[in-house]
Amino acid sequence: NFMLTQPHSVSESPGKTITISCTGSSGSIASNYVQWYQQRPGSAPIIVIYEDDQRPSGVPDRFSGSIDRSSNSASLTISGLKTEDEADYYCQSYGSDNYVFGTGTRVSVL
Amino acid sequence: QVQLRESGPGLVRPSETLSLICTVSGGSITSSRSFWAWIRQPPGKGLEWVGIISPGGSTYSNSSFNSRLTMSVDTSKNQFSLRLSSVTATDTAVYYCARRVVNYFDFWGQGTLVTVSS
């Protein structure tokens, strides 16, 4: 079964930049679009990146997405970290006839 | 803006059937490009896609649920529903309904916690 693996947690100071990876277990991650969702405690997820690198209206341009075919991974970069960015982040794609979510990354802004 | 709201019992007995309804407002459930999904999240764990239904009633589900899952749509009420049979404690989760466009989920309900316990 197709799986997406993310680092368990990332911590950084306000104003800094972080990058969260999302690695596909098989095939090419570039075969299907990758999305990224932010989930604050007690809330439903909201989409912050769709179709690899597209930002929905209302999402700050501090959030950006990319694909690295050489490592079969996608990445979410958050620049100028703010305390409000503290949340869980999930990547999502499609494979093996399933919509697949990544394992999730807890972002802490120290 | 499309809004979704889940409703249903918060407690289900083991071996019984979990039933949830998602009510869509701010847009038609028959709008083009829109499919309607169920996603769940066990307490303290990650997101798991459950299944998806088209406005015409075509369904696609996570293979891990085998034949336990039934989904339906009621366009007259702008609602879609989920039924999961023979539940166990591992089905305890927050269940979200969401709208799917292309291959991503752009609008989500607030989620409803369903606990499976005797």
Side-chain angles (χ1 to χ4, degrees):
Chain A
N1 283 349
F2 181 64
M3 298 192 316
L4 295 169
T5 301
Q6 302 177 229
H8 185 259
S9 62
V10 174
S11 299
E12 192 48 276
S13 303
K16 300 294 188 179
T17 296
I18 63 168
T19 298
I20 303 169
S21 62
C22 170
T23 303
S25 61
S26 61
S28 172
I29 202 166
S31 299
N32 292 287
Y33 285 126
V34 175
Q35 281 66 234
W36 290 90
Y37 302 86
Q38 176 194 68
Q39 186 179 33
R40 294 191 175 105
S43 297
I46 60 171
I47 189 158
V48 293
I49 294 289
Y50 67 97
E51 294 181 353
D52 296 342
D53 57 6
Q54 300 299 300
R55 203 169 41 250
S57 60
V59 174
D61 60 6
R62 302 184 295 105
F63 290 80
S64 62
S66 63
I67 297 290
D68 182 350
R69 289 173 173 77
S70 65
S71 61
N72 203 38
S73 66
S75 293
L76 172 69
T77 298
I78 310 174
S79 59
L81 266 178
K82 298 185 176 184
T83 55
E84 67 202 47
D85 299 330
E86 196 160 272
D88 294 329
Y89 291 82
Y90 294 91
C91 58
Q92 175 259 312
S93 190
Y94 185 83
S96 303
D97 295 329
N98 284 320
Y99 293 89
V100 178
F101 288 93
T103 51
T105 299
R106 173 70 53 89
V107 169
S108 299
V109 183
L110 306 173
Chain B
Q1 171 130 332
V2 173
Q3 293 183 314
L4 301 95
R5 186 182 76 251
E6 307 87 353
S7 58
L11 179 65
V12 181
R13 307 297 183 194
S15 80
E16 295 188 347
T17 296
L18 181 162
S19 297
L20 294 173
I21 292 173
C22 182
T23 301
V24 180
S25 59
S28 173
I29 203 168
T30 60
S31 65
S32 63
R33 301 196 313 143
S34 297
F35 276 39
W36 305 94
W38 292 99
I39 296 156
R40 73 179 187 179
Q41 185 172 36
K45 297 189 177 180
L47 300 166
E48 179 181 34
W49 172 64
V50 175
I52 200 164
I53 187 167
S54 74
S58 299
T59 60
Y60 308 89
S61 60
N62 187 324
S63 54
S64 66
F65 294 99
N66 294 320
S67 58
R68 293 200 299 135
L69 181 64
T70 303
M71 293 176 289
S72 61
V73 62
D74 187 336
T75 56
S76 67
K77 294 181 179 179
N78 231 32
Q79 295 177 334
F80 61 104
S81 64
L82 169 149
R83 287 172 56 86
L84 186 64
S85 64
S86 304
V87 296
T88 68
T90 59
D91 294 309
T92 294
V94 174
Y95 285 77
Y96 295 99
C97 58
R99 185 178 81 163
R100 189 219 76 176
V101 289
V102 190
N103 281 318
Y104 59 93
F105 308 100
D106 61 348
F107 290 105
W108 297 60
Q110 64 187 16
T112 187
L113 174 63
V114 179
T115 301
V116 178
S117 175
S118 55

